[in-house]
Amino acid sequence: MNHLSVLLRTTALLSFLSIHTHDLLAQAKAPQKTYMYLIYHKLNPGLTIQDALPVEREWKKVNQAAVDEGKLEGWYMTVKQFTSNPNQTEYDYVTRIVTHEMAIKGASPEAMTRIYGDSVQAKMADLQKRDRNTAPVVKIEIWEITDGTFAPKFAPDGTQLMVIERIKRRNPGADYDGVVGQLKRLSEDRIKRNNLLGWDFSSLIIPNGSEKGYEFSIAQYVTSLGAVANPILSDTPNPIMSAPAYKQLRSQTAQMFDVVRQEVYRFQEYTTKPGN
């Protein structure tokens, strides 16, 4: 897996391919797809998140250059807080690379030179070595973010926590669009009431098989877990939706999806989009 980590890092950060510009008919095309690489890291024995920060902050600097050039949508280091995973120590934190193409494109040679001068190859080799010696990659997944809704000016610096549910359909092949649509509409109303900062629905692309246990993912971005405990603001004079309606939605969701794993992450380091 260490070899895979090196290949991924190198592909993501040293690729010199350019992104094609949109033509005048771009608005008539289908919505642009968004992909998410999840790179799971396990700290080596005796090390803590504090030991990993210098390494990940270096990756952040390199990935920020790619974001500035429009090669990537974002890079994020998220630290695991809670998990239902029986193997509690399988991984400690996850770095996320968000891009509009499955083939990740890194910063240009000019950008890398601005960061490292004439020592790009040596510096990158050293960074990869430090990465392996601190928190090797133990798992990689590629997801497609197929739907979502976010507050205006959404950015990780306004998000304290990310609540993730890895799910699968109870009946394989069942049409889930109706349930997901209702969950999205609820999320939109929660955002308007400042109970939620963002919500998205993703489909697992690679690796995907029945032994995986889950096929989709739902993420809620919140400032506190209180927003998860009271999603409809039931204790206010004007709840987001009635208690019976919410109970029915929960029942429909439970009939459609089985929550295979639930986890809570904290944003630790992240890139920013130009203009944010």
Side-chain angles (χ1 to χ4, degrees), residues 11-84:
T11 301
L13 303 172
L14 295 181
S15 172
F16 299 147
L17 298 176
S18 62
I19 290 181
H20 297 293
T21 57
H22 293 292
D23 59 30
L24 295 178
L25 298 178
Q27 292 183 351
K29 296 180 180 179
Q32 194 171 20
K33 292 188 175 183
T34 302
Y35 300 97
M36 175 174 59
Y37 279 69
L38 297 185
I39 307 166
Y40 295 78
H41 300 259
K42 179 176 175 60
L43 292 162
N44 279 328
L47 300 183
T48 68
I49 291 295
Q50 293 302 313
D51 296 301
L53 284 179
V55 174
E56 294 303 337
R57 285 169 178 162
E58 190 75 10
W59 285 117
K60 172 186 172 180
K61 181 167 59 176
V62 175
N63 280 291
Q64 183 65 61
V67 171
D68 291 343
E69 294 182 323
K71 305 289 185 65
L72 298 178
E73 285 297 296
W75 171 95
Y76 313 89
M77 176 190 182
T78 59
V79 180
K80 185 180 67 179
Q81 305 294 289
F82 309 103
T83 181
S84 64

Side-chain angles (χ1 to χ4, degrees), residues 69-208:
E69 294 182 323
K71 305 289 185 65
L72 298 178
E73 285 297 296
W75 171 95
Y76 313 89
M77 176 190 182
T78 59
V79 180
K80 185 180 67 179
Q81 305 294 289
F82 309 103
T83 181
S84 64
N85 186 355
N87 183 2
Q88 295 281 313
T89 61
E90 181 183 356
Y91 42 82
D92 298 295
Y93 68 92
V94 180
T95 51
R96 298 154 52 96
I97 296 176
V98 180
T99 175
H100 286 309
E101 299 185 37
M102 279 189 67
I104 295 177
K105 297 180 177 180
S108 66
E110 294 77 14
M112 296 298 292
T113 300
R114 285 195 295 271
I115 296 172
Y116 292 123
D118 296 330
S119 305
V120 174
Q121 291 185 348
K123 291 290 187 180
M124 290 303 300
D126 178 67
L127 179 56
Q128 291 166 352
K129 180 180 179 181
R130 290 163 55 203
D131 193 346
R132 295 191 299 272
N133 291 339
T134 304
V137 173
V138 294
K139 182 169 69 172
I140 295 171
E141 295 174 337
I142 305 175
W143 296 76
E144 181 183 349
I145 302 175
T146 56
D147 207 347
T149 179
F150 295 88
K153 301 284 187 181
F154 171 83
D157 57 347
T159 304
Q160 301 300 315
L161 298 170
M162 175 176 60
V163 181
I164 297 288
E165 291 183 336
R166 310 294 189 206
I167 58 179
K168 69 176 180 180
R169 284 170 288 189
R170 294 188 182 276
N171 297 314
D175 185 355
Y176 55 87
D177 288 344
V179 172
V180 173
Q182 292 185 69
L183 293 174
K184 180 180 180 179
R185 286 191 291 274
L186 172 59
S187 299
E188 291 171 340
D189 291 338
R190 291 176 63 192
I191 289 172
K192 293 175 183 176
R193 297 284 297 274
N194 297 317
N195 180 259
L196 188 68
L197 293 171
W199 173 94
D200 59 44
F201 183 87
S202 304
S203 300
L204 181 62
I205 300 178
I206 299 174
N208 193 1

